[in-house]
Amino acid sequence: MALIKCSDLTLGYENIVLAEHLNLEVNSGEYWCITGENGTGKSTFMKTVLGLRKPLAGTISYGDGLEKNNIGYLPQQMQYQKDFPASVNEVVISGFQGKTGLRPFYNKAEKEQARRNIEKFGLAELADRCYRELSGGQQQRVLLARALCATGKVLLLDEPVTGLDPKVTEEFYELIKKINREDNITVIMISHDLEACRKYATHVLNFGEKITTEEIKHD
């Protein structure tokens, strides 16, 4: 069964339609890139998948044990978020907040998983550093580690390389590819980088006057 299934979905807000008749299935281990001009519904689609916005029509269903609070999300970062006064460790482990329920503290397993994610992304030496003191690329790796704490199945990334220099951008793309292929995490990423989409994605979903999907074969 598909992890995420959209059936005749209409996206928008306050009765303003951005996209309609969206039908697709996202399966385990796939890497989807979402493309299209600004204002066509890309971010609204992502927020709808997360349950942060209701569809105007149609349905989204989840399979293979996936629930909305088990989806990792890396939104576009605003300036005020870059100045967040917390340590790297505190930011990363906060990814478990959707799973703690009424528990006031993180448990041993969550603390260990956060530590592993910090190490996975080369952040161990920065664990006690203040998040706002880091470079843009380091901050994005911290947020990716945080998003991974929330999920073992699906990562949603909204233009994650915006503002990063070319070298750091390439390193970040490779990190996402590693998570997708080695950890079998399904990736859904909004991107304007069409070259990167064709290089890394297994599927491209393009928002425009007509919504189109394309499957990409890699050697």
Side-chain angles (χ1 to χ4, degrees), residues 2-32:
L3 282 174
I4 300 169
K5 182 177 181 179
C6 301
S7 301
D8 203 24
L9 205 62
T10 297
L11 304 171
Y13 53 90
E14 298 176 356
N15 295 319
I16 297 174
V17 175
L18 297 176
E20 55 187 344
H21 305 307
L22 173 58
N23 294 281
L24 63 86
E25 293 186 0
V26 178
N27 298 295
S28 178
E30 292 179 343
Y31 189 141
W32 284 74

Side-chain angles (χ1 to χ4, degrees), residues 3-218:
L3 282 174
I4 300 169
K5 182 177 181 179
C6 301
S7 301
D8 203 24
L9 205 62
T10 297
L11 304 171
Y13 53 90
E14 298 176 356
N15 295 319
I16 297 174
V17 175
L18 297 176
E20 55 187 344
H21 305 307
L22 173 58
N23 294 281
L24 63 86
E25 293 186 0
V26 178
N27 298 295
S28 178
E30 292 179 343
Y31 189 141
W32 284 74
C33 276
I34 303 176
T35 62
E37 299 296 325
N38 291 334
T40 54
K42 302 185 301 298
S43 292
T44 300
F45 168 71
M46 198 163 275
K47 291 175 182 177
T48 304
V49 170
L50 289 163
L52 302 176
R53 189 181 296 279
K54 292 183 178 180
L56 298 182
T59 61
I60 296 181
S61 57
Y62 306 87
D64 195 24
L66 180 67
E67 297 179 7
K68 285 177 284 192
N69 66 342
N70 295 137
I71 297 175
Y73 179 43
L74 200 167
Q76 292 188 54
Q77 195 177 186
M78 303 294 112
Q79 183 58 47
Y80 72 90
Q81 294 169 315
K82 295 180 181 181
D83 294 330
F84 194 64
S87 71
V88 167
N89 186 62
E90 288 170 334
V91 173
V92 172
I93 202 168
S94 70
F96 287 110
Q97 286 181 348
K99 300 180 180 181
T100 55
L102 298 176
R103 284 189 285 116
F105 303 105
Y106 301 108
N107 62 34
K108 184 178 180 180
E110 289 163 347
K111 291 177 181 178
E112 176 60 21
Q113 184 61 53
R115 184 192 64 78
R116 287 199 298 267
N117 288 349
I118 286 171
E119 291 186 350
K120 179 194 289 283
F121 299 144
L123 298 165
E125 294 183 357
L126 303 174
D128 295 324
R129 287 272 301 277
C130 184
Y131 174 80
R132 63 185 177 190
E133 296 175 356
L134 306 182
S135 69
Q138 290 169 336
Q139 287 186 344
Q140 285 300 84
R141 279 190 282 150
V142 170
L143 294 179
L144 187 59
R146 178 185 186 276
L148 202 58
C149 284
T151 189
K153 295 180 182 292
V154 182
L155 276 175
L156 271 58
L157 313 171
D158 192 347
E159 299 189 47
V161 299
T162 299
L164 303 183
D165 67 46
K167 182 177 184 296
V168 175
T169 293
E170 186 63 27
E171 291 172 351
F172 199 79
Y173 280 142
E174 288 295 324
L175 192 56
I176 297 169
K177 181 179 77 171
K178 184 176 181 180
I179 294 169
N180 171 245
R181 297 185 182 179
E182 295 184 8
D183 298 338
N184 198 40
I185 301 291
T186 300
V187 172
I188 304 174
M189 179 176 70
I190 295 175
S191 178
H192 286 97
D193 188 342
L194 299 183
E195 182 179 347
C197 290
R198 301 204 69 82
K199 180 178 180 181
Y200 295 107
T202 60
H203 298 75
V204 174
L205 172 65
N206 184 68
F207 281 77
E209 291 185 10
K210 182 179 180 182
I211 298 175
T212 61
T213 60
E214 178 186 3
E215 183 174 357
I216 299 175
K217 300 294 186 180
H218 297 280

